[in-house]
Amino acid sequence: MPRKVKTRRKVALLIETSRSYGRGVLRGIARFARTRSHWSLLHQEMTIDVSLPDWMKETAISGVIGRISPRNVDSLRKLNVPCVDVRCSHRFEGIPQVETDDAKVAELAFEHLRERGFRRFAFCGFQHAHYSLARLDRLRQLAHAAGLPLDAYQTANIPGAPTTILEQTDAAEMKRISRWLRSLAPPTGLFVCNDIRGQQVLNACRDLGIAVPDDIGVIGVDDDDAICPLSDPPLSSIRPASEQIGYRAAEILDAMMNGHTAPHKTEFVAPKEVVQRLSTQVIAVEDREIARVCRFIREHACDGIDVQDVAEFTTLSRRQLERRFQSELSRTPHQEITNIQVARVRRLLYETNMTLEQIAPLAGYRHKESLSAVFKRETGQTPGEFRREQMGHDSADIERNA
């Protein structure tokens, strides 16, 4: 007898591709489908607040993974198929949820800013966004436990409004945010609820002439690969484990489609890490002249400046500069210049295929030999050894995610 062909289950994905987070969730689902199932994935380009598309009502689907909201939950229930929610803005009876652990997100942000030396904290978010409220609540607990001040601003909006409406900021709201930012005493570590809010805050700081990260260090959430690098300065951000969330949601849906009971409790997945960029690349100092000097060094270290150039920039004498720099940062201005140059070299070795001869002038060195000697002294590796090690790590990551 001919072997019976196994029917492929059709799984519909209601997940936006307009955001880095959604794309990560989709990658996790795709990995599960590719390695652990015999699914046919149905997906179309959409934004976060999309209604149920007509094709879902006309297709014999077996299950749904989606960013479920009160706008689409009733339509989904009428399909009478298992569903898993990866938005988690509301609790829906009988629909399991997999979500980023917002408490852990706030903990990572708090510790990152504290490690940079910030002892004043602020939060900027959206009043009726569930993830913003959860992150603020945990930040308040952490600041209170540490005996550190926290100032918060949340954009007021209509409860239940779509996310895209909640996150819009008109001219009047930007003025209110600007007034609040102006009221923060420097240096302040500012945690923003997501990268969209982070870009809005950085735009306001630029218009106000607030030095980021010297006066206000800013960290967001989502590590959006478009928003973070395009922000000015580039935005530090917490990278959620969105692929893991997608993979776990797929595991739960597969079990449900095989007759297993849906989990009752929301599963929380811890974020992966802090991705530091220029918006928090600082050691916060109360001495405002030293903060001003640090900004000068950060902006010009790779132009080939030396300590004499720094001494000519500051209002301090060379002796005062050295003493106050050592007191605030436990290092010399020369070491600060070197640290920034080496950091740039590391980034160029990792992100580009440029030769050391090409990299040297971009890091403030006239000769590649000088650069190589400094790099080996500071890192314990030659530039070539560092690059080969990073390539090895990337290959291992590719293997793990295949």
Side-chain angles (χ1 to χ4, degrees):
M1 292 181 64
R3 183 179 297 176
K4 187 176 180 180
V5 177
K6 189 175 182 180
T7 303
R8 297 185 70 184
R9 285 171 168 161
K10 295 178 180 177
V11 174
L13 307 178
L14 282 179
I15 300 168
E16 79 288 349
T17 52
S18 57
R19 297 170 185 239
S20 181
Y21 187 91
R23 294 192 295 273
V25 172
L26 289 170
R27 284 194 295 272
I29 296 168
R31 182 157 58 90
F32 179 90
R34 187 173 68 248
T35 59
R36 297 274 307 279
S37 77
H38 194 61
W39 291 357
S40 175
L41 299 177
L42 307 179
H43 179 264
Q44 70 179 39
E45 182 73 20
M46 60 185 67
T47 59
I48 194 169
D49 292 307
V50 72
S51 300
L52 205 66
D54 291 337
W55 60 262
M56 281 188 63
K57 305 167 189 174
E58 301 165 359
T59 305
I61 61 173
S62 302
V64 178
I65 301 174
R67 303 272 262 167
I68 300 175
S69 73
R71 289 176 180 75
N72 58 27
V73 66
D74 291 337
S75 299
L76 284 172
R77 289 192 189 282
K78 289 176 183 177
L79 298 176
N80 198 30
V81 297
C83 299
V84 179
D85 179 21
V86 290
R87 184 175 187 174
C88 310
S89 60
H90 296 76
R91 193 78 183 94
F92 302 112
E93 186 64 33
I95 299 179
Q97 298 181 316
V98 188
E99 167 74 309
T100 292
D101 190 330
D102 290 312
K104 297 292 185 185
V105 167
E107 289 165 18
L108 275 183
F110 182 73
E111 287 307 318
H112 178 73
L113 293 171
R114 256 180 65 156
E115 287 169 3
R116 312 273 83 69
F118 290 103
R119 294 298 177 264
R120 282 183 289 271
F121 290 83
F123 178 87
C124 191
F126 304 105
Q127 195 173 64
H128 298 295
H130 72 286
Y131 60 88
S132 181
L133 294 172
R135 291 165 188 177
L136 174 56
D137 284 347
R138 182 57 180 149
L139 185 66
R140 279 194 174 122
Q141 293 171 5
L142 294 167
H144 178 75
L148 298 171
L150 171 67
D151 199 336
Y153 179 91
Q154 297 188 88
T155 294
N157 218 311
I158 302 167
T163 297
T164 48
I165 300 299
L166 283 175
E167 294 174 345
Q168 287 178 8
T169 305
D170 58 22
E173 177 61 12
M174 285 305 298
K175 286 182 179 178
R176 288 188 284 270
I177 291 173
S178 296
R179 282 197 297 271
W180 176 72
L181 289 169
R182 224 183 273 120
S183 73
L184 300 177
T188 290
L190 172 55
F191 174 33
V192 292
C193 67
N194 65 7
D195 293 338
I196 292 172
R197 175 104 290 186
Q199 188 176 49
Q200 293 166 355
V201 163
L202 290 176
N203 289 342
C205 286
R206 185 184 62 241
D207 292 342
L208 294 168
I210 294 174
V212 176
D214 306 87
D215 294 342
I216 297 180
V218 184
I219 183 170
V221 186
D222 288 339
D223 191 36
D224 192 285
D225 54 7
I227 293 175
C228 292
L230 289 175
S231 298
D232 184 17
L235 178 64
S236 295
S237 188
I238 295 165
R239 179 181 294 166
S242 53
E243 289 193 33
Q244 185 180 339
I245 287 169
Y247 192 93
R248 180 60 187 142
E251 285 185 319
I252 292 171
L253 181 66
D254 190 62
M256 291 173 69
M257 292 191 299
N258 286 319
H260 296 280
T261 303
H264 294 294
K265 292 183 178 180
T266 300
E267 289 199 21
F268 293 101
V269 178
K272 291 183 73 173
E273 60 187 342
V274 172
V275 180
Q276 186 182 23
R277 299 184 179 86
L278 290 179
S279 70
T280 60
Q281 193 171 306
V282 70
I283 297 299
V285 294
E286 295 292 335
D287 188 321
R288 303 320 297 153
E289 181 60 17
I290 295 302
R292 196 174 76 91
V293 168
C294 286
R295 186 179 189 190
F296 174 80
I297 292 174
R298 189 172 61 251
E299 291 176 350
H300 298 286
C302 295
D303 295 337
I305 63 169
D306 57 22
V307 178
Q308 182 57 39
D309 295 310
V310 178
E312 291 174 2
F313 168 79
T314 184
T315 58
L316 305 174
S317 69
R318 176 102 177 226
R319 185 176 179 182
Q320 287 176 317
L321 170 66
E322 297 277 0
R323 179 174 53 79
R324 283 166 62 171
F325 212 93
Q326 189 73 41
S327 173
E328 287 284 351
L329 300 172
S330 300
R331 57 180 176 268
T332 66
H334 174 75
Q335 186 60 52
E336 183 73 359
I337 293 170
T338 301
N339 289 350
I340 291 167
Q341 290 172 330
V342 169
R344 178 119 195 240
V345 174
R346 289 165 66 100
R347 190 166 65 250
L348 291 172
L349 287 169
Y350 176 66
E351 295 177 355
T352 76
N353 294 320
M354 296 171 70
T355 66
L356 206 58
E357 195 166 26
Q358 293 170 317
I359 289 173
L362 298 178
Y365 289 85
R366 292 183 180 179
H367 306 291
K368 65 178 183 180
E369 292 80 11
S370 302
L371 167 57
S372 187
V374 171
F375 192 89
K376 177 68 183 286
R377 185 189 72 219
E378 296 297 319
T379 69
Q381 294 177 301
T382 67
E385 288 169 344
F386 172 81
R387 178 172 268 170
R388 285 191 292 274
E389 181 182 89
Q390 298 308 306
M391 289 173 65
H393 288 167
D394 286 350
S395 297
D397 287 343
I398 290 169
E399 281 294 318
R400 280 194 296 271
N401 292 325

